[in-house]
Amino acid sequence: MIDVLIIGSGPAGSTYARTIGDALPTASILMVEVGPRVPGERGYHTMNMTDAARTEAQLLTQGPDAGIERAAALADIAPGIDPSLEFRQTILPGLFFVDPRPKLQAGEVGLPAASMVSGVGGMGIHWATSTPRPHQSERIPFISADDLDAALTHAEQLLKVTKLQDATGLLGAMRKAMADEFDGPGLTPVGYLPTATHWEGDRVLFSGTGVILGELERTVPGFELRSETLARRVLVENGAAVGAELQDRRTGETYEVRATRVVVCADGLRTPQVLFASGIRPKALGHYLNEHFQMASFVQLSDEFDPAAYPADEQSLGSVLIPFSDARPMQGGVTPLANSAYKLPFGDDVTRSRLGILAWYAAKDLQYSDAVEFSDTETDFYGMPKMAIRYGRTERDLATIEELRQNSLRSAARIGTLHEEPALAAGGSSLHYQGAVRMGETDDGASVCDPYLRVWGVDHLYVGGNGVIPTATAANPTLTTVALAWRAATELARGLERIGS
Ligand SMILES: Cc1cc2nc3c(=O)[nH]c(=O)nc-3n(C[C@H](O)[C@H](O)[C@H](O)COP(=O)(O)OP(=O)(O)OC[C@H]3O[C@@H](n4cnc5c(N)ncnc54)[C@H](O)[C@@H]3O)c2cc1C
């Protein structure tokens, strides 16, 4: 019998492990991960690796597409795409599609670019590390402001977030231009995009899940991270989670592990999958699924914002952030590509040129009918219940998308000339899938877990990840996800401590 079983090794699961381990160093904590380890230090961000090591790591975490170079995979997929779909479908190295050829029902648009990662660290070794705080109605209304802010501050420390307060160079000039254009009464002021990065000597290091886990193997002797281990289902007895059925992916052997607490952090789409497979099926499970609308465009920067005219120092690395406000339910990011530390897959010629990238996200109009559904008869690559995504757009969504376009055009016009019209990205491209195990203040059928991420109606079972976020957001979610996991893990550790004392 172990104290805590954590399913999934991404930022959410890692936050649970670290928090519980710090509070209870004698605890036994088993973290299982369906994907493989990648070579090198566990949880090390792929952006910190050499190009060759990064490619090797990316090829390992692609689940059913492991080993397939992405250019080939895309060419393979393209002929099957429904030509009536209005998007350019893309997938990044390291990821695999949920279902690139969704069977859409009338009125649906689907999330054809929805993607996942299977490997130690989850998406948290590939992510771009943008960590803005949520604002106004993005925040969770039933967690007090002080409580949420304290959790966000802790998450920033855990992720080693850097916040640029004031910049004098290119970014400073861009911030001023965007503030002139977008600041106004009631609107969250334009600033800089915080990132989970820090300088070590003359290198920028990205925070992977290794940064969250710290030295847990040393400080908590009872901590084990078991890779290539699938959690098939949570075991429930007398209304309480008591462990899980696991499968060794190398041998196929299936076995049970008993635990005092079980935590499912298997990403925004697979956390509800594990619950469904376990027969835990509250009305809201899989529903209220949402991701931000995303519109990206390239801008040829005007003479005023030519990177060559500014010093290339720490102050010019990063992005300007036009944050979410209720009166403008979207978030804009403006990045001079020459100054992007994240190696975007555009090639050296492009990144060195005078290009800016504008990335706008807008909040979805939340609907019960937007959902990830699971099959009782068909299975996926891992033998888990097969997913089908039901996803549509409301009239309000169409108006929001138009506003997104207008704001993309406004921001572009202020700093240069657009290369092409802003295009709505394929549904699923944001990689931020929220709501499918959402938290609620009461068990009213519209949520799956309580504010401490305890699943309603099943004792000792916790969830984590972007799926718990109940609000409509445009902000990148990982900071909030880590904050909420930290709150929940702190509560979980207190409960365990009470049992032990
Ligand atoms: C290229 C890229 C850029 C991104 N940029 C940003 C950004 O700038 N800002 C931001 O906020 N977010 C960003 N994200 C998203 C961010 O990485 C996720 O929000 C975050 O990783 C979610 O953490 P998680 O722990 O919930 O899930 P994940 O990181 O997806 O980890 C879940 C893990 O659970 C495992 N798992 C699933 N099912 C099972 C099972 N049954 N048994 C065992 N293990 C299982 C999976 O294999 C996976 O490793 C980006 C993602 C990518 C890929």
Side-chain angles (χ1 to χ4, degrees), residues 193-280:
L193 183 67
T195 52
T197 56
H198 62 280
W199 287 85
E200 215 171 86
D202 58 355
R203 284 182 76 197
V204 177
L205 288 184
F206 288 74
S207 299
T209 50
V211 166
I212 302 176
L213 288 171
E215 298 186 12
L216 212 54
E217 287 85 349
R218 188 180 62 76
T219 57
V220 181
F223 172 66
E224 180 192 346
L225 199 170
R226 201 175 288 172
S227 60
E228 295 186 65
T229 301
L230 172 74
R232 298 189 60 84
R233 63 189 178 99
V234 176
L235 304 171
V236 181
E237 290 173 5
N238 303 318
V242 294
E245 183 183 295
L246 305 179
Q247 185 181 41
D248 185 328
R249 295 266 309 148
R250 286 155 292 206
T251 63
E253 183 209 351
T254 298
Y255 57 99
E256 288 186 2
V257 161
R258 313 281 291 184
T260 309
R261 298 284 185 273
V262 179
V263 181
V264 188
C265 295
D267 84 26
L269 299 170
R270 285 180 283 179
T271 294
Q273 182 186 50
V274 171
L275 265 53
F276 182 91
S278 315
I280 302 164

Side-chain angles (χ1 to χ4, degrees), residues 8 10-12 33-34 117-119 122-123 127-130 231 266 432 465-466 476 478:
E33 165 57 54
V34 67
V117 166
S118 288
M123 285 193 182
W127 69 313
T129 72
S130 305
H432 306 153
N466 301 336
N476 317 56
T478 308

Side-chain angles (χ1 to χ4, degrees), residues 26-229:
T26 56
S28 47
I29 304 170
L30 173 63
M31 176 189 265
V32 295
E33 165 57 54
V34 67
R37 283 179 185 269
V38 303
E41 212 177 300
R42 60 106 177 88
Y44 199 53
H45 198 292
T46 51
M47 283 293 147
N48 304 334
M49 299 177 180
T50 62
D51 289 352
R54 179 168 53 254
T55 302
E56 191 184 348
Q58 287 166 340
L59 291 175
L60 281 167
T61 63
Q62 293 175 179
D65 296 345
I68 301 178
E69 300 236 4
R70 273 303 165 206
L74 268 184
D76 197 32
I77 286 161
I81 298 287
D82 178 348
S84 69
L85 297 176
E86 58 183 330
F87 50 75
R88 285 178 294 180
Q89 194 180 28
T90 51
I91 189 156
L92 292 168
L95 282 68
F96 61 99
F97 281 130
V98 172
D99 180 5
R101 300 183 194 89
K103 292 185 192 69
L104 301 182
Q105 295 176 2
E108 290 183 350
V109 293
L111 294 181
S115 315
M116 305 186 281
V117 166
S118 288
V120 169
M123 285 193 182
I125 61 165
H126 301 288
W127 69 313
T129 72
S130 305
T131 38
R133 285 193 171 206
H135 294 286
Q136 300 187 4
S137 62
E138 288 184 308
R139 292 167 62 91
I140 295 150
F142 47 84
I143 298 182
S144 77
D146 286 351
D147 197 356
L148 187 59
D149 284 334
L152 290 165
T153 301
H154 190 90
E156 284 163 353
Q157 289 160 358
L158 209 50
L159 288 166
K160 291 206 169 122
V161 169
T162 296
K163 294 182 184 182
L164 197 58
Q165 298 301 341
D166 197 16
T168 49
L170 175 60
L171 275 192
M174 281 187 164
R175 192 209 61 78
K176 187 172 177 321
M178 289 301 138
D180 290 348
E181 188 67 35
F182 289 104
D183 275 354
L187 296 170
T188 318
V190 170
Y192 301 102
L193 183 67
T195 52
T197 56
H198 62 280
W199 287 85
E200 215 171 86
D202 58 355
R203 284 182 76 197
V204 177
L205 288 184
F206 288 74
S207 299
T209 50
V211 166
I212 302 176
L213 288 171
E215 298 186 12
L216 212 54
E217 287 85 349
R218 188 180 62 76
T219 57
V220 181
F223 172 66
E224 180 192 346
L225 199 170
R226 201 175 288 172
S227 60
E228 295 186 65
T229 301

